[in-house]
Structure formats: structure tokens, C-alpha cells
Amino acid sequence: MALSIFDSLEEANEELEKLDHEVAIPHMSKEEILKNYDFSFDVDKETLEFLKEQTVKVHNKGNTFYTELGKIFKETQEKLANNKTGVFKKWFESLGFTKDTTYRMISRYNHIVALCDDIKVKDFESLPLSISYEISKESCPEFIREKVLNGQIKTKAEIKKAIKEVQEKKSKAEEIQEAEIVEEKVPYKKKKKMISELSTK
């Protein structure tokens, strides 16, 4: 079985170092990056500061790295679009990637390209990877994406809750609309009685 480029942490770090020189990392302050992560660990202050520094490093390299991977997967997918033998899937699996991960990265990259606004791209790149995947889904309403980018929604759980609320409201609205459309069925005897009463009046 072929080795994945992610079979060891050292190899993954070497890949990140290479991309560091090839991909422009958005210039963000440490505070802007850290506001997106939870640091409620039971550790001393020195350890907490160390973890924050390491988080900034992982964040800067990781998010940019996954954007670049999304671009590579997108280009390869488009190049192999007419090939009906499943070679694209075979190729990314040979590198050690799953179908879900590959398509999440493509979706994330498509969303970044669609933003066409450096400030929004910067905000998007500042998000933790799992959250950026969540708001890249086609099923995510645009106003929820905006709330995430504005910092009003901060966790994956909050995103899912907001989407669920939207779906429930939509479902209730559809039920009300259906109820308004359905005509009240009046039995024949009742109709006959109503007509008789009206005609005597």
C-alpha cells in the first residue's frame, strides 16, 4: 500500500513549510486568530500562552495549506471531468485522502473564490477549518455565513442550531401555506341545507 503524504507529522510539516513560501498568508493579528478558538484548558498561564502561540502557527499554515489543497483538487477534478473511470477518486485516495475530506476542501476553495473580496477572504481564512467547511456547504444560508464572518456565530454547534431554526421556520411556513390552500370540504347534506335556508330568506 502506498504511503500517504500525511503518514507522519514530520512529512506533513515539511509540506506546510514548502507551501509557506508559495502561498500568501493573510496578515492577521494574533488576537484576530485566537478569538476563533477555545482555550478553556486547565493549565498554567505559561502553558496556555505556549498553546496560543502554537495555535497561531498551526492556523496560519494549516488554513492556507488547505486552501491550496482545495485549489489543487479542484484543478485536478476539472482536468479529469471527462474521464468516467473514477481516476480522480483513485488518485486522491492513493494520496491518503477520503472522498469527504477532498470534496470539503473543494467546496471551501470554491467559496473562497466566490467571495471576490480580500477582506471577506481574510475573515474566512481566519476561521477554524471545521467552521469554514460548515459555511462552505451549499445548504448553508448566506445570512448565516455573514453572521459567522461578522463574529455573531462562533461555533460549529451554533451554526448547526441556526440552520436547524431556519429549516424549522421554512417548514412551518410551508405547512401554513398548504393549510391556506386546502379548501374546507362541506358535506353534500350540509350544502343542500344551506342552499335551502338561503332560498327561503
Side-chain angles (χ1 to χ4, degrees):
M1 184 177 162
L3 289 175
S4 161
I5 60 170
F6 294 103
D7 281 344
S8 77
L9 186 58
E10 265 184 34
E11 289 173 18
N13 283 334
E14 285 172 13
E15 292 296 318
L16 289 171
E17 289 290 87
K18 288 177 196 171
L19 282 175
D20 192 26
H21 301 292
E22 298 170 8
V23 182
I25 295 172
H27 299 289
M28 298 184 65
S29 71
K30 179 181 171 182
E31 291 73 28
E32 286 177 306
I33 292 169
L34 294 178
K35 73 178 182 182
N36 295 295
Y37 296 93
D38 179 21
F39 290 97
S40 56
F41 306 117
D42 187 20
V43 292
D44 60 81
K45 190 175 179 179
E46 185 181 334
T47 305
L48 190 62
E49 284 308 308
F50 172 74
L51 290 173
K52 287 181 178 180
E53 292 299 326
Q54 296 300 88
T55 299
V56 171
K57 288 179 190 175
V58 170
H59 176 89
N60 282 338
K61 290 183 182 284
N63 282 5
T64 310
F65 178 65
Y66 287 111
T67 299
E68 186 64 18
L69 279 178
K71 180 181 179 186
I72 292 166
F73 286 136
K74 172 77 172 173
E75 289 170 350
T76 309
Q77 181 189 42
E78 287 175 351
K79 179 81 173 171
L80 301 173
N82 292 330
N83 188 317
K84 304 298 179 197
T85 61
V87 72
F88 175 61
K89 183 175 184 271
K90 291 173 190 169
W91 170 73
F92 66 67
E93 285 179 344
S94 76
L95 295 176
F97 292 95
T98 64
K99 183 179 176 183
D100 285 348
T101 300
T102 302
Y103 282 95
R104 275 198 309 256
M105 281 192 250
I106 291 171
S107 178
R108 183 178 180 273
Y109 176 72
N110 287 340
H111 185 70
I112 288 172
V113 170
L115 287 172
C116 297
D117 177 339
D118 289 343
I119 293 169
K120 284 189 177 182
V121 169
K122 178 184 163 188
D123 291 342
F124 186 86
E125 285 279 354
S126 75
L127 298 170
L129 194 60
S130 62
I131 291 177
S132 69
Y133 283 153
E134 206 61 40
I135 67 169
S136 296
K137 292 178 180 175
E138 286 183 28
S139 60
C140 181
E142 188 58 38
F143 79 94
I144 290 177
R145 285 189 188 118
E146 290 298 324
K147 283 187 174 188
V148 172
L149 292 171
N150 294 334
Q152 294 169 288
I153 296 177
K154 297 182 181 190
T155 66
K156 192 173 172 181
E158 288 175 356
I159 295 169
K160 289 190 171 194
K161 183 182 174 189
I163 290 172
K164 187 178 177 185
E165 286 172 1
V166 168
Q167 289 169 341
E168 285 173 357
K169 283 180 185 174
K170 186 178 176 184
S171 178
K172 283 181 184 176
E174 286 172 357
E175 284 175 19
I176 290 168
Q177 193 174 15
E178 274 183 37
E180 288 171 352
I181 292 171
V182 174
E183 290 180 31
E184 185 185 351
K185 293 188 178 181
V186 182
Y188 175 75
K189 286 182 179 180
K190 191 172 181 180
K191 283 182 188 176
K192 191 175 177 185
K193 184 180 176 188
M194 287 167 67
I195 293 168
S196 172
E197 287 172 356
L198 286 170
S199 56
T200 55
K201 288 179 181 177

